């Protein structure tokens, strides 16, 4: 006999578990399916984000940032620390403890909200039947009125650098180095490559990042990307090589020799470890039977409409398996939207107000349009920027690198985008998200009272600078 549910969710990452909890809160009989097993054979909840993504990487980023501050920054404050050392094993244990606490917490939240948990691989079959195959091969069938597909994504592998789980690793392996590599290669100067490269560079690695594209952080605003590249290379010592396309690799004992092409021809570099961080792809392998009716697009993503409906009525897909940025918070909001729709409520998601964050130090964050996008779309805009170097709180904290930049429509004054490079950018960007969500004008921000002294005063000043009204810097002369 098949189990009967109103909602069945496949995948327990931030998109899946949030959707399941919300559906249960809305009174729906809900089940969730998860296949991820820990080393001890037990099921772990929370998907990539909690287990090998957002959370563990941030734990290592924060630990490594504190170490770098102790080595390079304490003296500025008059704090004398002789020869700080890093205990990598203890740092990793702390990271693992945080992961365990949060994944256990997700399991508790699912149980507390009345969501039935099934452990095994979920596959959607015809007529909204979900087959769950446990690790021991046993099978259970779930019949659902509605199915939410939230299987997440996996790292992209490239033929020139096959993952051997030892010297050549993906982002998961880069979270588990037992010692600091003397020389670390990273393929990809995107979010993951920059964050993981930063972790080990702070701890003492000589880090070389090979990026095939000629432009650094093409998705970010050009002025912000330019500032960030200068900071990471000249101030922090990351060796970022643009236009470097990796063509091959060869193990040399416990090292790896990487071959790549740049503007000057073929080159080779030898590394102790190599991290392949060229992106992620949707995980759908074995999750959709041939008769499920669900269609994929040309890039392998599940095809959905603006409200995450698939080609099968009653079947939805959210998170990394569908179009849009692969971001945990985007997936979570999609999960909530779908649960609301299933419950008969009106719901939609504003994809124009999804924030992006890179957790380097300083952080990079943005929401809305970049200046380059506005130019390409022929939108008449105005811009204001303000440097953290002129912010008292930034000076006090020795965090004066970077700026806030705001873009607004010339005719309506509506905020079109906000971009931040600086300490605490991941928190400040929420102000831009709220501005976009409520269709705020630059004047709305200008008339808002910001606390002093705070880093967020740069947001206020950037908004003022949009109309040449900044107080704490000289304004552009009017033509």
């Amino acid at each position: 006999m098949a189990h009967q549910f109103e909602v069945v969710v496949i995948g327990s990452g931030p998109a899946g578990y949030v959707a399941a909890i919300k559906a249960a809160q809305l009174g729906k009989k809900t089940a969730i399916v998860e296949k991820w097993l820990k080393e001890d054979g037990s099921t772990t909840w929370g998907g990539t984000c909690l287990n090998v993504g957002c959370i563990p990487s941030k734990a290592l980023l924060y630990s490594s940032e504190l170490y770098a501050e102790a080595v390079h920054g304490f003296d500025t404050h008059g704090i004398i620390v002789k020869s700080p050392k890093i205990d990598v094993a203890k740092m990793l244990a702390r990271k693992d403890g945080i992961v365990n606490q949060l994944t256990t917490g997700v399991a508790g939240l699912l149980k507390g909200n009345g969501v039935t948990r099934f452990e095994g691989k979920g596959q959607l079959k015809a007529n909204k039947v979900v087959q769950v195959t446990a690790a021991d091969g046993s099978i259970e069938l779930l019949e659902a009125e509605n199915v939410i597909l939230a299987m997440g994504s996996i790292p992209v592998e490239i033929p020139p650098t096959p993952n051997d789980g030892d010297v050549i690793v993906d982002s998961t392996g880069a979270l588990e180095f037992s010692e600091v590599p003397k020389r670390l290669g990273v393929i990809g100067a995107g979010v993951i490559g920059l964050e993981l490269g930063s972790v080990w560079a702070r701890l003492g690695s000589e880090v070389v990042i090979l990026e095939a594209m000629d432009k650094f952080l093409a998705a970010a605003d050009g002025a912000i990307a330019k500032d960030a590249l200068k900071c990471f290379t000249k101030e922090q010592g990351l060796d970022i090589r643009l236009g470097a396309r990796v063509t091959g690799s060869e193990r040399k004992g416990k090292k790896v020799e990487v071959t790549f092409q740049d503007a000057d021809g073929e080159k080779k570099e030898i590394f102790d470890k190599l991290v392949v961080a060229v992106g992620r792809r949707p995980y759908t392998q074995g999750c959709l039977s041939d008769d499920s009716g669900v269609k994929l697009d040309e890039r392998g993503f599940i095809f959905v409409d603006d409200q995450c409906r698939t080609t099968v009525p009653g079947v939805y897909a959210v998170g990394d398996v569908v179009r849009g940025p692969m971001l945990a918070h985007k997936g979570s909001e999609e999960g909530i939207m779908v649960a609301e729709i299933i419950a008969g409520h009106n719901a939609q998601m504003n994809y124009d107000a999804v924030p992006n964050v890179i957790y380097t130090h300083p952080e990079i964050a943005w929401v809305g349009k970049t200046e380059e996008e506005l130019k390409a779309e022929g939108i008449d805009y105005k811009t204001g920027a303000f440097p953290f170097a002129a912010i008292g709180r930034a000076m006090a904290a020795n965090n004066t690198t970077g700026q806030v930049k705001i873009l607004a429509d010339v005719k309506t004054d509506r905020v079109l985008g906000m971009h931040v490079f600086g300490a605490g950018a991941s928190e400040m960007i929420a102000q831009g998200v709220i501005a976009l969500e409520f269709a705020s004008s630059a004047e709305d921000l200008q008339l808002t009272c910001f606390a002093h002294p705070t880093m967020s005063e740069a947001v206020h000043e950037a908004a003022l600078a949009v109309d040449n009204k900044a107080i704490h810097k000289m304004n552009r002369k009017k033509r």
Side-chain angles (χ1 to χ4, degrees):
M1 289 291 292
H3 302 278
Q4 305 289 326
F5 291 95
E6 292 175 281
V7 179
V8 172
V9 182
I10 302 178
S12 74
Y17 84 74
V18 169
I21 289 173
K22 188 63 178 179
Q25 289 176 345
L26 292 170
K28 298 298 179 181
K29 185 180 180 183
T30 305
I32 191 166
V33 183
E34 178 55 68
K35 72 176 183 63
W36 198 318
L37 299 179
K38 294 190 286 188
E39 290 184 0
D40 62 6
S42 63
T43 299
T44 184
W45 306 86
T48 294
C49 177
L50 268 65
N51 285 278
V52 295
C54 316
I55 301 304
S57 63
K58 301 312 164 284
L60 295 187
L61 279 161
Y62 190 66
S63 294
S64 62
E65 185 180 328
L66 289 177
Y67 174 76
E69 183 70 6
V71 173
H72 305 292
F74 277 7
D75 184 64
T76 301
H77 299 277
I79 302 172
I80 308 302
V81 178
K82 293 184 178 180
S83 303
K85 296 181 180 179
I86 185 70
D87 184 333
V88 174
K90 190 171 183 178
M91 179 181 71
L92 295 181
R94 173 183 176 271
K95 177 259 296 179
D96 292 340
I98 293 170
V99 169
N100 183 65
Q101 183 177 349
L102 287 172
T103 55
T104 302
V106 168
L109 286 170
L110 291 168
K111 181 179 180 181
N113 281 279
V115 178
T116 304
R117 293 171 293 165
F118 288 88
E119 300 178 1
K121 177 160 184 169
Q123 182 188 57
L124 176 66
K125 305 180 82 66
N127 301 315
K128 292 178 285 190
V129 172
V130 175
Q131 176 180 294
V132 181
T133 305
D136 62 6
S138 61
I139 291 176
E140 291 184 276
L141 296 178
L142 315 180
E143 292 184 355
E145 294 178 20
N146 300 277
V147 176
I148 302 175
L149 304 172
M151 292 85 69
S153 61
I154 57 176
V156 170
E157 295 187 33
I158 55 176
T161 54
N163 187 336
D164 63 15
D166 178 22
V167 176
I168 303 175
V169 300
D170 57 19
S171 56
T172 299
L175 298 171
E176 301 294 340
F177 293 153
S178 59
E179 60 184 15
V180 180
K182 184 176 181 181
R183 202 157 192 266
L184 174 66
V186 179
I187 303 177
V191 177
I192 298 172
L194 288 173
E195 290 184 359
L196 293 175
S198 293
V199 167
W200 297 106
R202 293 168 187 169
L203 300 178
S205 284
E206 178 188 347
V207 176
V208 177
I209 301 179
L210 303 173
E211 170 55 55
M213 294 184 67
D214 293 319
K215 187 175 182 181
F216 181 66
L217 292 180
D221 186 88
I224 297 295
K226 182 179 179 181
D227 277 3
L229 181 60
K230 179 181 177 181
C231 174
F232 296 153
T233 55
K234 295 186 177 181
E235 297 176 23
Q236 298 183 12
L238 288 177
D239 186 351
I240 301 174
R241 305 185 190 180
L242 302 177
R245 185 173 62 87
V246 174
T247 57
S249 62
E250 182 182 354
R251 281 288 298 266
K252 300 278 188 178
K254 294 183 178 181
K255 299 178 185 293
V256 59
E257 183 179 71
V258 177
T259 304
F260 61 96
Q261 293 272 354
D262 64 13
D264 298 322
E266 184 176 279
K267 295 182 179 179
K268 297 179 184 290
E269 292 283 355
I270 294 179
F271 303 109
D272 297 287
K273 298 284 186 182
L274 179 67
V275 179
V276 181
V278 294
R280 300 181 65 84
R281 61 181 177 86
Y283 177 74
T284 56
Q285 184 178 1
C287 299
L288 303 170
S289 68
D290 293 338
D291 61 357
S292 69
V294 173
K295 304 298 183 184
L296 305 181
D297 68 18
E298 65 279 2
R299 296 184 299 155
F301 291 89
I302 295 173
F303 179 79
V304 293
D305 65 11
D306 290 343
Q307 293 181 306
C308 292
R309 297 180 183 89
T310 70
T311 48
V312 178
V315 177
Y316 303 80
V318 296
D320 287 3
V321 292
V322 303
R323 77 288 178 270
M326 289 184 171
L327 300 170
H329 46 279
K330 172 258 194 182
S332 293
E333 292 304 315
E334 287 178 331
I336 290 174
M337 174 181 67
V338 166
E340 294 274 7
I341 291 171
I342 289 172
H345 301 168
N346 292 322
Q348 64 182 51
M349 181 172 170
N350 183 1
Y351 286 98
D352 292 330
V354 177
N356 290 264
V357 182
I358 304 176
Y359 294 87
T360 47
H361 183 79
E363 295 174 340
I364 305 168
W366 69 91
V367 65
K369 299 289 187 179
T370 65
E371 189 165 354
E372 290 72 22
E373 287 173 332
L374 293 176
K375 287 180 180 178
E377 294 172 17
I379 296 174
D380 198 6
Y381 67 92
K382 51 185 176 178
T383 180
F386 196 84
F388 285 110
I391 296 293
R393 178 69 183 274
M395 294 179 189
N398 198 32
N399 279 319
T400 56
T401 299
Q403 63 172 310
V404 174
K405 180 178 179 179
I406 291 176
L407 301 161
D409 190 283
V410 166
K411 294 179 181 178
T412 66
D413 197 42
R414 181 173 176 175
V415 174
L416 301 174
M418 177 169 143
H419 308 267
V420 187
F421 175 49
S426 60
E427 305 294 339
M428 272 181 281
I429 199 60
Q431 297 164 11
V433 174
I434 293 170
L436 264 67
E437 189 65 40
F438 286 88
S440 300
S441 64
E443 185 181 37
D444 289 329
L445 292 175
Q446 293 169 5
L447 296 174
T448 300
C449 183
F450 285 72
H452 172 79
T454 61
M455 299 290 282
S456 289
E457 287 180 279
V459 176
H460 189 210
E461 290 280 0
L464 289 165
V466 166
D467 293 317
N468 280 344
K469 296 178 181 178
I471 299 298
H472 293 94
K473 76 165 190 175
M474 297 301 296
N475 292 291
R476 301 185 301 268
K477 291 184 179 179
K478 293 184 179 180
R479 295 180 180 177

PDB file of all heavy atoms in Angstrom, residues 10 21 38 44 54 145 222 224 227 293 327 366 376 378 414-415 467 472 475:
ATOM      1  N   ILE A  10      10.849  16.310  -2.502  1.00  0.00           N
ATOM      2  CA  ILE A  10      12.068  15.523  -2.721  1.00  0.00           C
ATOM      3  C   ILE A  10      13.264  16.447  -2.567  1.00  0.00           C
ATOM      4  O   ILE A  10      13.463  17.371  -3.357  1.00  0.00           O
ATOM      5  CB  ILE A  10      12.081  14.880  -4.120  1.00  0.00           C
ATOM      6  CG1 ILE A  10      10.860  13.989  -4.323  1.00  0.00           C
ATOM      7  CG2 ILE A  10      13.358  14.063  -4.310  1.00  0.00           C
ATOM      8  CD1 ILE A  10      10.783  13.346  -5.703  1.00  0.00           C
ATOM      9  N   ILE A  21       8.097  22.576   5.578  1.00  0.00           N
ATOM     10  CA  ILE A  21       7.642  23.178   6.834  1.00  0.00           C
ATOM     11  C   ILE A  21       6.476  24.126   6.575  1.00  0.00           C
ATOM     12  O   ILE A  21       5.467  24.108   7.291  1.00  0.00           O
ATOM     13  CB  ILE A  21       8.806  23.907   7.533  1.00  0.00           C
ATOM     14  CG1 ILE A  21       9.810  22.888   8.086  1.00  0.00           C
ATOM     15  CG2 ILE A  21       8.294  24.810   8.664  1.00  0.00           C
ATOM     16  CD1 ILE A  21      11.079  23.499   8.637  1.00  0.00           C
ATOM     17  N   LYS A  38      25.489  10.424   6.083  1.00  0.00           N
ATOM     18  CA  LYS A  38      26.766  10.778   6.689  1.00  0.00           C
ATOM     19  C   LYS A  38      27.682   9.555   6.680  1.00  0.00           C
ATOM     20  O   LYS A  38      27.280   8.453   6.309  1.00  0.00           O
ATOM     21  CB  LYS A  38      26.533  11.273   8.122  1.00  0.00           C
ATOM     22  CG  LYS A  38      25.769  12.572   8.191  1.00  0.00           C
ATOM     23  CD  LYS A  38      25.757  13.149   9.598  1.00  0.00           C
ATOM     24  CE  LYS A  38      24.837  12.372  10.521  1.00  0.00           C
ATOM     25  NZ  LYS A  38      24.684  13.057  11.831  1.00  0.00           N
ATOM     26  N   THR A  44      21.390  12.740   6.858  1.00  0.00           N
ATOM     27  CA  THR A  44      21.586  14.122   7.304  1.00  0.00           C
ATOM     28  C   THR A  44      20.675  15.029   6.488  1.00  0.00           C
ATOM     29  O   THR A  44      20.439  14.796   5.309  1.00  0.00           O
ATOM     30  CB  THR A  44      23.053  14.566   7.159  1.00  0.00           C
ATOM     31  OG1 THR A  44      23.202  15.891   7.698  1.00  0.00           O
ATOM     32  CG2 THR A  44      23.511  14.573   5.710  1.00  0.00           C
ATOM     33  N   CYS A  54      27.105  26.586   2.116  1.00  0.00           N
ATOM     34  CA  CYS A  54      27.055  27.902   2.766  1.00  0.00           C
ATOM     35  C   CYS A  54      27.614  27.893   4.182  1.00  0.00           C
ATOM     36  O   CYS A  54      28.459  28.728   4.534  1.00  0.00           O
ATOM     37  CB  CYS A  54      25.609  28.406   2.821  1.00  0.00           C
ATOM     38  SG  CYS A  54      24.651  28.179   1.324  1.00  0.00           S
ATOM     39  N   GLU A 145      -0.826  14.450  -3.846  1.00  0.00           N
ATOM     40  CA  GLU A 145      -1.649  15.386  -4.613  1.00  0.00           C
ATOM     41  C   GLU A 145      -0.752  16.430  -5.272  1.00  0.00           C
ATOM     42  O   GLU A 145      -1.037  16.905  -6.374  1.00  0.00           O
ATOM     43  CB  GLU A 145      -2.665  16.066  -3.696  1.00  0.00           C
ATOM     44  CG  GLU A 145      -3.706  15.122  -3.112  1.00  0.00           C
ATOM     45  CD  GLU A 145      -4.649  15.830  -2.168  1.00  0.00           C
ATOM     46  OE1 GLU A 145      -4.759  17.081  -2.251  1.00  0.00           O
ATOM     47  OE2 GLU A 145      -5.271  15.156  -1.335  1.00  0.00           O
ATOM     48  N   GLY A 222      30.646  46.788 -12.641  1.00  0.00           N
ATOM     49  CA  GLY A 222      32.022  46.937 -13.072  1.00  0.00           C
ATOM     50  C   GLY A 222      32.919  47.672 -12.097  1.00  0.00           C
ATOM     51  O   GLY A 222      34.061  47.260 -11.848  1.00  0.00           O
ATOM     52  N   ILE A 224      32.556  47.983  -8.855  1.00  0.00           N
ATOM     53  CA  ILE A 224      32.739  47.159  -7.664  1.00  0.00           C
ATOM     54  C   ILE A 224      33.734  46.043  -7.950  1.00  0.00           C
ATOM     55  O   ILE A 224      34.642  45.766  -7.140  1.00  0.00           O
ATOM     56  CB  ILE A 224      31.388  46.570  -7.211  1.00  0.00           C
ATOM     57  CG1 ILE A 224      30.418  47.682  -6.812  1.00  0.00           C
ATOM     58  CG2 ILE A 224      31.587  45.580  -6.071  1.00  0.00           C
ATOM     59  CD1 ILE A 224      30.822  48.498  -5.614  1.00  0.00           C
ATOM     60  N   ASP A 227      37.322  47.386  -8.009  1.00  0.00           N
ATOM     61  CA  ASP A 227      37.828  47.618  -6.651  1.00  0.00           C
ATOM     62  C   ASP A 227      38.217  46.310  -5.980  1.00  0.00           C
ATOM     63  O   ASP A 227      39.250  46.206  -5.307  1.00  0.00           O
ATOM     64  CB  ASP A 227      36.765  48.321  -5.799  1.00  0.00           C
ATOM     65  CG  ASP A 227      36.751  49.826  -6.003  1.00  0.00           C
ATOM     66  OD1 ASP A 227      37.529  50.328  -6.841  1.00  0.00           O
ATOM     67  OD2 ASP A 227      35.955  50.508  -5.320  1.00  0.00           O
ATOM     68  N   GLY A 293       6.697  12.865 -16.914  1.00  0.00           N
ATOM     69  CA  GLY A 293       6.094  13.991 -17.613  1.00  0.00           C
ATOM     70  C   GLY A 293       6.807  15.316 -17.420  1.00  0.00           C
ATOM     71  O   GLY A 293       6.510  16.301 -18.102  1.00  0.00           O
ATOM     72  N   LEU A 327      21.069  30.137  -5.309  1.00  0.00           N
ATOM     73  CA  LEU A 327      21.221  30.758  -4.004  1.00  0.00           C
ATOM     74  C   LEU A 327      20.235  30.149  -3.024  1.00  0.00           C
ATOM     75  O   LEU A 327      19.058  29.966  -3.349  1.00  0.00           O
ATOM     76  CB  LEU A 327      20.989  32.266  -4.100  1.00  0.00           C
ATOM     77  CG  LEU A 327      21.924  33.039  -5.031  1.00  0.00           C
ATOM     78  CD1 LEU A 327      21.435  34.464  -5.228  1.00  0.00           C
ATOM     79  CD2 LEU A 327      23.347  33.029  -4.466  1.00  0.00           C
ATOM     80  N   TRP A 366      25.285  42.630  -3.926  1.00  0.00           N
ATOM     81  CA  TRP A 366      24.531  43.505  -4.824  1.00  0.00           C
ATOM     82  C   TRP A 366      23.101  42.989  -4.985  1.00  0.00           C
ATOM     83  O   TRP A 366      22.800  41.824  -4.733  1.00  0.00           O
ATOM     84  CB  TRP A 366      25.217  43.632  -6.182  1.00  0.00           C
ATOM     85  CG  TRP A 366      25.236  42.410  -7.046  1.00  0.00           C
ATOM     86  CD1 TRP A 366      24.317  42.047  -7.985  1.00  0.00           C
ATOM     87  CD2 TRP A 366      26.242  41.383  -7.073  1.00  0.00           C
ATOM     88  NE1 TRP A 366      24.688  40.868  -8.602  1.00  0.00           N
ATOM     89  CE2 TRP A 366      25.858  40.444  -8.055  1.00  0.00           C
ATOM     90  CE3 TRP A 366      27.438  41.179  -6.365  1.00  0.00           C
ATOM     91  CZ2 TRP A 366      26.630  39.307  -8.347  1.00  0.00           C
ATOM     92  CZ3 TRP A 366      28.185  40.050  -6.646  1.00  0.00           C
ATOM     93  CH2 TRP A 366      27.792  39.135  -7.630  1.00  0.00           C
ATOM     94  N   ALA A 376      23.103  48.749 -21.306  1.00  0.00           N
ATOM     95  CA  ALA A 376      22.726  47.835 -22.381  1.00  0.00           C
ATOM     96  C   ALA A 376      21.234  47.898 -22.681  1.00  0.00           C
ATOM     97  O   ALA A 376      20.808  47.714 -23.824  1.00  0.00           O
ATOM     98  CB  ALA A 376      23.125  46.401 -22.008  1.00  0.00           C
ATOM     99  N   GLY A 378      19.395  50.552 -22.294  1.00  0.00           N
ATOM    100  CA  GLY A 378      19.032  51.897 -22.708  1.00  0.00           C
ATOM    101  C   GLY A 378      18.216  52.660 -21.685  1.00  0.00           C
ATOM    102  O   GLY A 378      17.458  53.571 -22.032  1.00  0.00           O
ATOM    103  N   ARG A 414      13.329  56.089  -8.896  1.00  0.00           N
ATOM    104  CA  ARG A 414      13.218  54.769  -8.278  1.00  0.00           C
ATOM    105  C   ARG A 414      14.584  54.091  -8.226  1.00  0.00           C
ATOM    106  O   ARG A 414      15.349  54.125  -9.194  1.00  0.00           O
ATOM    107  CB  ARG A 414      12.239  53.904  -9.074  1.00  0.00           C
ATOM    108  CG  ARG A 414      12.029  52.511  -8.491  1.00  0.00           C
ATOM    109  CD  ARG A 414      10.932  51.768  -9.229  1.00  0.00           C
ATOM    110  NE  ARG A 414      10.785  50.406  -8.733  1.00  0.00           N
ATOM    111  CZ  ARG A 414       9.832  49.565  -9.127  1.00  0.00           C
ATOM    112  NH1 ARG A 414       8.934  49.973 -10.024  1.00  0.00           N
ATOM    113  NH2 ARG A 414       9.756  48.346  -8.636  1.00  0.00           N
ATOM    114  N   VAL A 415      14.896  53.463  -7.090  1.00  0.00           N
ATOM    115  CA  VAL A 415      16.159  52.738  -6.935  1.00  0.00           C
ATOM    116  C   VAL A 415      16.135  51.511  -7.841  1.00  0.00           C
ATOM    117  O   VAL A 415      15.208  50.696  -7.793  1.00  0.00           O
ATOM    118  CB  VAL A 415      16.379  52.307  -5.474  1.00  0.00           C
ATOM    119  CG1 VAL A 415      17.634  51.433  -5.363  1.00  0.00           C
ATOM    120  CG2 VAL A 415      16.508  53.530  -4.574  1.00  0.00           C
ATOM    121  N   ASP A 467      21.984  62.522  -6.179  1.00  0.00           N
ATOM    122  CA  ASP A 467      21.554  63.867  -6.596  1.00  0.00           C
ATOM    123  C   ASP A 467      22.556  64.949  -6.197  1.00  0.00           C
ATOM    124  O   ASP A 467      22.188  66.112  -5.998  1.00  0.00           O
ATOM    125  CB  ASP A 467      20.182  64.174  -5.986  1.00  0.00           C
ATOM    126  CG  ASP A 467      19.089  63.292  -6.557  1.00  0.00           C
ATOM    127  OD1 ASP A 467      19.077  63.099  -7.782  1.00  0.00           O
ATOM    128  OD2 ASP A 467      18.264  62.775  -5.773  1.00  0.00           O
ATOM    129  N   HIS A 472      29.340  64.233   3.427  1.00  0.00           N
ATOM    130  CA  HIS A 472      30.691  63.951   3.906  1.00  0.00           C
ATOM    131  C   HIS A 472      31.693  63.661   2.805  1.00  0.00           C
ATOM    132  O   HIS A 472      32.718  62.996   3.019  1.00  0.00           O
ATOM    133  CB  HIS A 472      30.651  62.801   4.929  1.00  0.00           C
ATOM    134  CG  HIS A 472      29.939  63.187   6.188  1.00  0.00           C
ATOM    135  ND1 HIS A 472      28.594  62.947   6.395  1.00  0.00           N
ATOM    136  CD2 HIS A 472      30.392  63.833   7.304  1.00  0.00           C
ATOM    137  CE1 HIS A 472      28.256  63.406   7.583  1.00  0.00           C
ATOM    138  NE2 HIS A 472      29.315  63.949   8.142  1.00  0.00           N
ATOM    139  N   ASN A 475      30.841  66.909  -3.694  1.00  0.00           N
ATOM    140  CA  ASN A 475      29.956  66.457  -4.754  1.00  0.00           C
ATOM    141  C   ASN A 475      30.483  66.855  -6.124  1.00  0.00           C
ATOM    142  O   ASN A 475      31.290  67.780  -6.247  1.00  0.00           O
ATOM    143  CB  ASN A 475      28.562  67.051  -4.559  1.00  0.00           C
ATOM    144  CG  ASN A 475      27.856  66.490  -3.332  1.00  0.00           C
ATOM    145  OD1 ASN A 475      27.474  65.329  -3.303  1.00  0.00           O
ATOM    146  ND2 ASN A 475      27.702  67.316  -2.293  1.00  0.00           N
TER     147      ASN A 475
END
